[in-house]
Amino acid sequence: MALPQDIHFKKRYPTLEQNEVLNATASAVLVNALAGTGKTTTLAIKAADLIRTKGASRILMLAYSEAGLTAMAQRLENLVPAIPRQVQIMTVEQLCATVLKDQGDALVRVTEPLQKNLLIRQAHTALTQDPQRQDMPPDVADFLSRDLDVQAFLDFEAQAKQRLLLRDLESSDLGALAYCHEHELDYGLYQLFVRYERLRSGLNNEPLFYAPGDCTYEVARQLCALDFSEPFTPLQGRFDAVLFDELQDLDEAAMLVLRTLVQGGNGIFVGVGDFNQHILPGAFSVFGNSLARIRQELPADTQVVSLHTTYRFGNAICQGLNPLFGVAFAAHYPTKPAWFEQRSYSDDEDCARQLLAIHETVRQEQPHAPGPHAPASLHVVLRSPEDSVLLEWMFAHEGVHYACKGMKRFYQRREIALVLAIMWAMQGCGDTVRLTQGIVSSAIEGLLRYVRRGSLPDHDVLANGAFDMQALQGDSPVELDTRAVAVGLIDQRPLLRRFLAHASFDPTAPVASPICEQLLALPAQVCADAGQLCGHPLIHQFFAHAPISPDERRDSLDSLRALARICTGLSVDEFLGRVTLMVSTSIQQHQHNEAPSLTLLTVERCKGHEYDHVAVPFVERGRFPRSAARHDAYRERNMLYVAMTRASKRLWLLESGARPVSPGPV
């Protein structure tokens, strides 16, 4: 293949495997690629070649995520001075939004989580007032007898739309109740989903607003309404080529859109994916058979190519990964420096101390080239945000300048910030400690999530099958801007005490959280040990009664146990004083533009990125990967794969000596 003359690979050239993709003559090419094998670069080279040698004037480059878009744009800019006008780079959701806009739909967006939460509560209210409720199965009565779990509904709604639940239910021979029982779905959540979607539709069944994911769902819904051979004009003959990255994240709705594109006269199709990197719960590749599933939706002459040769890391890391995951990485540069070290730890403190030692090793590494360089940085990838609490505490006390990505610092997470605010507002706390605006804002956000009930909607509006948008727009400022409200609560202990109990500035508002009121009335002696206060029965009772999902409740309590661990033996004053020092130090480092030498990040945040030095701690059976049912176990395995394949130079695996994961495939 003759590559374009103006393409510069910057010491990176296509491998034989990549050239097989670039030279393919089939109308569709499906690429199964391992991490770091240049799959996104392959798509970028293909796009540049189609423009230069084939005269393509309309190329669509699709990705599932915003991070995927950024990666594609960067790879393309590495090949050409600027992204050519012939290329459109967008997510499936953005593509579907353009389709709806071209159809003349008004794309009213709902992007604020609190706004959507209030709309969900309105749908729940409408369901409770349904005059036919008495005729519904006991499952609905049982569902409505419990507090509304907004997060459980959000999870159900997302997967119902991604997997086209209503289409499958309609095509089955079962009724809704039997279908939900057979597929182990909550029938109450199903009824709430139906009511929510009914209220979201206008007189002509058109959506009144779109939350994230709704554009893809609406286009997929239109496609489901077509006869099998009927063309869908908005996606017919629009492009000369469709190049798709992140195939591993496809769900049923996005797959239907992609199939329509491929079958709609849009030129050649090249799709790439690393099916070891599926970590999204809504995608069907969690079962490990998505390559075959996608293959079924593509033309009969589709060519399947595999990429095993990685640019990212050398032989040492390849040899560490291959037996652990049962894959076949091969290093493109056999002589590329690479280091893989597997360590054993006895407990969490030992693991944290080893991370400090690894950080010191990385920090002392000097760049070989002369001139100013940013200090070498260690990236620590965590399966669970609560694992960062101990690490942040120890890193801060050792003077390590760390950053967090994909998660807030532990003292700004809503469940912890709320407990910190309660500590500060208690009558046993001294006057020398000052909470920051960020902590108070997160505390308010947590309070609203755990106890707040939104403005009551107009029942007549709900009865007429519509959302009461006036109630949404007229809600209190607290619902809209917690940071602004936090400014008025800083250093105002009596006002904060009242707000924590009533969740309102209204002097006539009733108590919203009796448990918070009881906590604030505890005697001053309970502030002698902050760790014991974190484990107080009232704290646990508060989260046990909160309208949140079991998973969120578990994560919140895990975070509080981690918090109790670092502050046991410290008085509330002493503990909050140390937290305040951590915050002020962080603010000063930010103001001085100091580059962090260590970054804590989640698996979800690190996906699609690579770093020189990576450490993966707390690897043990049941923790990382977590214990999971069979259909989720594959995703847990992929979480570890994603974390470990981010390293380009050095990789450390810190594994429990008591509950090791290796040897052998995960």
Side-chain angles (χ1 to χ4, degrees):
M1 166 180 158
L3 293 172
Q5 296 177 359
D6 58 347
I7 289 183
H8 304 287
F9 287 101
K10 298 184 179 179
K11 297 183 180 181
R12 173 178 288 184
Y13 303 93
T15 63
L16 293 176
E17 294 172 339
Q18 289 175 319
N19 269 323
E20 188 177 356
V21 178
L22 301 174
N23 293 327
T25 57
S27 63
V29 181
L30 184 57
V31 184
N32 185 19
L34 294 176
T37 53
K39 50 187 179 295
T40 307
T41 299
T42 303
L43 289 183
I45 297 173
K46 187 69 175 178
D49 180 65
L50 287 169
I51 294 170
R52 179 64 181 272
T53 66
K54 308 297 183 184
S57 59
R58 301 167 302 168
I59 297 176
L60 174 64
M61 299 187 75
L62 284 173
Y64 198 85
S65 67
E66 294 288 343
L69 297 189
T70 301
M72 282 200 295
Q74 289 174 343
R75 302 302 191 279
L76 197 55
E77 288 173 348
N78 286 340
L79 300 175
V80 292
I83 296 177
R85 58 178 176 77
Q86 297 97 322
V87 178
Q88 296 183 50
I89 303 177
M90 59 182 70
T91 63
V92 177
E93 178 75 0
Q94 290 169 350
L95 171 66
C96 292
T98 65
V99 169
L100 296 173
K101 187 176 180 181
D102 291 344
Q103 292 177 343
D105 291 3
L107 294 182
V108 179
R109 303 284 192 171
V110 170
T111 57
E112 289 295 327
L114 284 175
Q115 286 185 324
K116 184 162 183 179
N117 288 359
L118 292 173
L119 291 169
I120 294 167
R121 294 189 186 283
Q122 287 194 23
H124 186 263
T125 301
L127 183 60
T128 61
Q129 295 173 348
D130 191 326
Q132 298 180 344
R133 173 183 166 187
Q134 302 301 324
D135 299 327
M136 294 182 182
D139 302 55
V140 178
D142 178 63
F143 171 75
L144 293 176
S145 69
R146 306 189 302 266
D147 284 335
L148 171 62
D149 183 343
V150 172
Q151 187 59 49
F153 174 78
L154 289 171
D155 294 341
F156 184 94
E157 180 209 15
Q159 296 206 23
K161 291 181 175 179
Q162 290 167 346
R163 297 178 177 175
L164 300 176
L165 169 66
L166 297 182
R167 178 199 65 175
D168 288 352
L169 194 156
E170 185 178 346
S171 62
S172 73
D173 295 329
L174 304 172
L177 180 62
Y179 181 94
C180 288
H181 286 173
E182 181 172 306
H183 292 82
E184 298 182 348
L185 300 176
D186 188 315
Y187 184 69
L189 287 174
Y190 163 78
Q191 285 292 340
L192 180 57
F193 171 68
V194 172
R195 182 55 55 97
Y196 175 84
E197 284 298 301
R198 189 181 302 162
L199 292 176
R200 200 171 71 87
S201 300
L203 294 176
N204 298 317
N205 206 32
E206 78 283 3
L208 299 177
F209 62 85
Y210 293 88
D214 282 343
C215 292
T216 303
Y217 177 65
E218 175 59 23
V219 171
R221 204 165 64 90
Q222 293 181 24
L223 293 173
C224 289
L226 299 176
D227 291 334
F228 185 76
S229 59
E230 186 178 353
F232 185 67
T233 305
L235 294 178
Q236 195 85 9
R238 292 183 58 175
F239 307 101
D240 298 320
V242 176
L243 311 179
F244 199 118
D245 202 359
E246 301 181 318
L247 282 179
Q248 73 274 357
D249 292 330
L250 278 179
D251 52 57
E252 292 289 349
M255 185 71 245
L256 188 55
V257 174
L258 178 59
R259 183 183 71 181
T260 306
L261 271 172
V262 174
Q263 296 178 350
N266 288 295
I268 69 167
F269 169 75
V270 180
V272 301
D274 180 354
F275 297 99
N276 296 287
Q277 289 196 50
H278 161 65
I279 59 175
L280 299 181
F284 49 67
S285 57
V286 69
F287 300 107
N289 64 349
S290 61
L291 181 65
R293 171 70 179 82
I294 293 173
R295 177 68 182 81
Q296 294 172 0
E297 304 291 346
L298 299 177
D301 66 342
T302 297
Q303 183 176 347
V304 179
V305 180
S306 295
L307 301 181
H308 297 97
T309 305
T310 180
Y311 286 105
R312 183 170 297 162
F313 35 77
N315 278 333
I317 296 178
C318 289
Q319 292 169 8
L321 295 172
N322 286 339
L324 186 60
F325 296 102
V327 291
F329 278 109
H332 181 58
Y333 301 110
T335 58
K336 182 175 181 178
W339 174 273
F340 174 65
E341 182 179 351
Q342 203 162 349
R343 293 188 173 205
S344 176
Y345 65 87
S346 58
D347 54 31
D348 286 7
E349 284 78 7
D350 179 41
C351 188
R353 286 190 293 270
Q354 292 195 48
L355 285 173
L356 283 168
I358 293 170
H359 167 262
E360 185 63 21
T361 299
V362 171
R363 192 184 66 83
Q364 291 179 1
E365 183 179 272
Q366 296 298 321
H368 298 292
H373 293 274
S377 178
L378 175 66
H379 285 76
V380 179
V381 184
L382 302 175
R383 174 64 182 91
S384 305
E386 57 265 23
D387 285 335
S388 81
V389 177
L390 172 65
L391 299 182
E392 290 185 61
W393 185 255
M394 291 184 66
F395 293 163
H397 283 76
E398 291 296 327
V400 175
H401 181 195
Y402 72 92
C404 290
K405 291 185 178 180
M407 56 186 172
K408 294 181 178 180
R409 292 177 181 247
F410 79 86
Y411 45 78
Q412 289 184 322
R413 296 171 199 166
R414 55 191 173 205
E415 70 276 8
I416 291 180
L418 179 57
V419 171
L420 296 180
I422 291 172
M423 285 182 177
W424 184 81
M426 295 178 74
Q427 50 193 343
C429 181
D431 298 324
T432 58
V433 179
R434 185 177 188 271
L435 294 183
T436 64
Q437 178 184 352
I439 293 176
V440 176
S441 174
S442 296
I444 296 170
E445 182 184 336
L447 183 69
L448 298 180
R449 179 169 184 80
Y450 303 135
V451 305
R452 176 73 170 175
R453 299 295 184 268
S455 297
L456 293 177
D458 187 322
H459 291 175
D460 291 334
V461 174
L462 296 182
N464 288 322
F467 280 121
D468 183 4
M469 304 305 286
Q470 285 296 115
L472 179 64
Q473 296 168 359
D475 215 342
S476 71
V478 175
E479 299 282 2
L480 304 177
D481 192 351
T482 58
R483 291 190 66 84
V485 175
V487 173
L489 293 175
I490 293 175
D491 295 334
Q492 301 295 324
R493 184 170 297 172
L495 188 59
L496 179 60
R497 285 172 59 87
R498 192 184 189 287
F499 191 89
L500 289 171
H502 296 261
S504 173
F505 287 117
D506 184 353
T508 64
V511 171
S513 176
I515 297 178
C516 275
E517 190 176 48
Q518 294 175 53
L519 277 167
L520 295 169
L522 289 174
Q525 298 91 298
V526 300
C527 294
D529 192 308
Q532 292 184 12
L533 181 55
C534 288
H536 195 282
L538 285 174
I539 296 285
H540 286 260
Q541 188 179 348
F542 175 84
F543 286 96
H545 291 173
I548 54 180
S549 68
D551 286 345
E552 185 176 355
R553 183 174 296 109
R554 178 204 65 204
D555 292 343
S556 296
L557 293 175
D558 284 347
S559 291
L560 293 179
R561 278 190 284 269
L563 185 71
R565 188 171 187 170
I566 65 173
C567 64
T568 295
L570 301 175
S571 69
V572 166
D573 279 354
E574 186 177 2
F575 174 59
L576 293 181
R578 293 193 185 186
V579 171
T580 301
L581 180 60
M582 289 178 65
V583 175
S584 61
T585 301
S586 174
I587 293 173
Q588 291 172 8
Q589 290 167 337
H590 178 72
Q591 290 174 340
H592 295 150
N593 294 319
E594 295 180 20
S597 59
L598 186 147
T599 301
L600 293 165
L601 65 168
T602 61
V603 177
E604 293 84 352
R605 180 60 176 79
C606 77
K607 187 179 176 211
H609 300 275
E610 64 178 79
Y611 312 101
D612 287 347
H613 311 285
V614 172
V616 184
F618 304 125
V619 175
E620 58 183 84
R621 290 196 307 273
R623 184 175 185 180
F624 191 8
R626 289 177 179 172
S627 298
R630 182 179 179 183
H631 65 279
D632 274 335
Y634 195 86
R635 186 165 70 95
E636 283 298 319
R637 172 260 193 202
N638 286 356
M639 287 279 191
L640 185 57
Y641 172 92
V642 169
M644 293 184 65
T645 54
R646 301 306 96 196
S648 63
K649 290 184 178 179
R650 294 183 181 179
L651 172 63
W652 288 269
L653 175 67
L654 286 78
E655 190 177 32
S656 168
R659 295 181 297 277
V661 172
S662 59
V666 177

